[in-house]
Amino acid sequence: MTNIHFEIRHLPLPLKEPYWLAFGPVSTFDTFIVRAEGRNGVGHGEITPLPGYSFETGASVLAAFEDLASSAGLNLSDCLNGRRESAPMAMSGLAAAADAIEMGDDRILGFSVGSSIPCVALCGGTEPKDAAARAHRLSDDGYTVLKMKIGGDVQNDLRRAEAVSAVLPEYALIRVDANQQMSEADALTFAKAAGDFPIELMEQPYAPDADARMLALRDVARVPLMLDESIWTRDDIDRAAKLGMDYVKLKLCKHLGLRENLALLEHARSLGLKVVYGNGVQGALGNRQEAFLYLEAGLTTAIESNGFSKIAAHPADPGMRLEAGALHLDGITDAKTLFDKAEPVAELDLSA
């Protein structure tokens, strides 16, 4: 048995402009950087909770680590599994850092330099004309999958989807995301009418406990359906397959580390589910680890690991850039500098 020393540091990351989600704007990523040191080397992980997406907050992350730090003789596996429901994102950051020791931190953060991955682009605009103008610019920039937030006014959602469709080339697709904010009537209306548009998928119209409503939607939808906030565990993926979903979304932050992410990606695909991967609310460290896992798993859908591009001033070299509709891996993500610039908040010693 080996011991792993964890250090957790706080690094708020202000954004270039507010990132609008269905449940409100995000102006700063409340990020924590994890550094793990063990017998076989060093690994890093990132924790960026998003209130509204889940119940975790920066304060709850700190509370979870304060609770762990006050306990003696803890085992890493017991910590992760015992707290995966109460603090899943906090535990994911620990697990990712520990996994990176064994899998090679430098290899992960410098993986496939010179590679590019098709990436989604957020198409904002609350009115059809504005949305269409943004879509036209993004299409000219090389993006072939655009993401629109929907929910709240279904007729405006449909008008925006129609306006965006009118300016896109025939090969481009629209990925629409409701972030759990749609009524049943609005979701049914959108899923029927949007079949006239090039919709790649409709994401998470309801809260995670709405299986019966998702079944009813599946019966009438003219667009593919995807679950995101509903997907945390292997059992959730199994349930999505039984519900007849077309896609599931996985993110590094929702699952316990790099190795579990890979296992869940493989499991979802074995059930015939298509997978969308990556997190738009994540810094460069987490996004780079997601790019590594995306390539390792052989995914082909447009990745969503673009959170790093929303940050106003990078505290370290991200080793990545967005250009011509793709995520380009053109350097090594500088995790050490990120960690050095962050404020210490907790230390843990766990056996593994």
Side-chain angles (χ1 to χ4, degrees):
M1 184 171 292
T2 63
N3 292 320
I4 302 178
H5 180 70
F6 292 92
E7 294 183 63
I8 299 94
R9 296 190 175 188
H10 189 213
L11 186 66
L13 297 169
L15 306 186
K16 297 172 185 174
E17 59 185 31
Y19 178 44
W20 287 89
L21 297 167
F23 40 75
V26 178
S27 60
T28 299
F29 290 168
D30 196 12
T31 295
F32 298 82
I33 305 297
V34 180
R35 183 181 189 273
E37 184 172 1
R39 182 177 60 191
N40 295 325
V42 170
H44 291 88
E46 179 187 330
I47 305 161
T48 302
L50 177 60
Y53 180 87
S54 78
F55 53 84
E56 280 179 279
T57 64
S60 75
V61 168
L62 286 173
F65 288 126
E66 288 171 2
D67 175 54
L68 288 174
S70 67
S71 305
L74 294 176
N75 173 271
L76 175 60
S77 179
D78 291 343
C79 289
L80 297 178
N81 290 307
R83 291 168 173 80
R84 71 180 303 153
E85 292 186 6
S86 62
M89 292 187 182
M91 295 304 103
S92 178
L94 285 187
D99 284 345
I101 294 176
E102 303 305 320
M103 299 171 74
D105 200 51
D106 289 343
R107 183 174 80 92
I108 293 165
L109 299 179
F111 186 74
S112 292
V113 171
S115 296
S116 63
I117 300 170
C119 191
V120 72
L122 180 66
C123 182
T126 58
E127 297 302 323
K129 185 176 180 180
D130 186 17
R134 291 170 184 248
H136 193 278
R137 289 195 297 270
L138 290 168
S139 178
D140 284 349
D141 287 342
Y143 289 96
T144 60
V145 180
L146 304 186
K147 185 166 186 175
M148 290 177 50
K149 298 293 183 176
I150 61 173
D153 182 344
V154 69
Q155 294 305 321
N156 185 55
D157 291 338
L158 288 167
R159 287 192 295 270
R160 286 189 297 126
E162 181 177 21
V164 168
S165 300
V167 302
L168 291 182
E170 61 180 14
Y171 53 80
L173 297 169
I174 304 170
R175 186 178 291 178
V176 296
D177 182 8
N179 286 122
Q180 316 174 63
Q181 300 299 307
M182 297 190 92
S183 69
E184 186 170 10
D186 283 355
L188 291 167
T189 297
F190 188 92
K192 292 176 185 177
D196 295 332
F197 311 131
I199 303 294
E200 178 194 32
L201 58 89
M202 178 179 176
E203 179 177 346
Q204 196 77 42
Y206 310 131
D209 58 355
D211 284 5
R213 283 188 288 169
M214 286 305 300
L215 277 172
L217 185 62
R218 173 70 279 171
D219 287 343
V220 301
R222 295 175 59 213
V223 297
L225 301 177
M226 180 171 80
L227 294 179
D228 171 11
E229 288 91 336
S230 298
I231 307 300
W232 292 82
T233 67
R234 186 184 180 97
D235 288 346
D236 294 332
I237 293 172
D238 290 342
R239 190 173 71 255
K242 290 178 181 177
L243 288 171
M245 296 297 101
D246 302 282
Y247 290 80
V248 289
K249 182 193 281 186
L250 276 67
K251 300 177 180 179
L252 174 59
C253 68
K254 296 196 294 180
H255 316 296
L256 291 183
L258 308 176
R259 288 182 285 195
E260 180 170 292
N261 268 255
L262 274 176
L264 292 178
L265 287 168
E266 292 170 0
H267 180 63
R269 296 173 76 192
S270 76
L271 297 176
L273 291 163
K274 298 177 184 177
V275 178
V276 169
Y277 194 63
N279 192 355
V281 183
Q282 187 88 61
L285 173 56
N287 280 165
R288 184 52 175 259
Q289 290 177 327
E290 288 180 332
F292 165 77
L293 294 167
Y294 176 102
L295 291 169
E296 284 281 280
L299 300 179
T300 58
T301 49
I303 199 169
E304 297 208 354
S305 301
N306 58 10
F308 78 97
S309 69
K310 302 179 176 77
I311 296 168
H314 282 284
D317 186 356
M320 302 176 290
R321 60 187 167 86
L322 291 178
E323 186 177 303
L327 172 63
H328 296 267
L329 309 177
D330 51 12
I332 297 175
T333 299
D334 186 359
K336 182 181 184 303
T337 299
L338 284 173
F339 181 78
D340 289 344
K341 291 189 175 183
E343 182 70 22
V345 294
E347 294 191 35
L348 304 169
D349 287 293
L350 303 175
S351 61

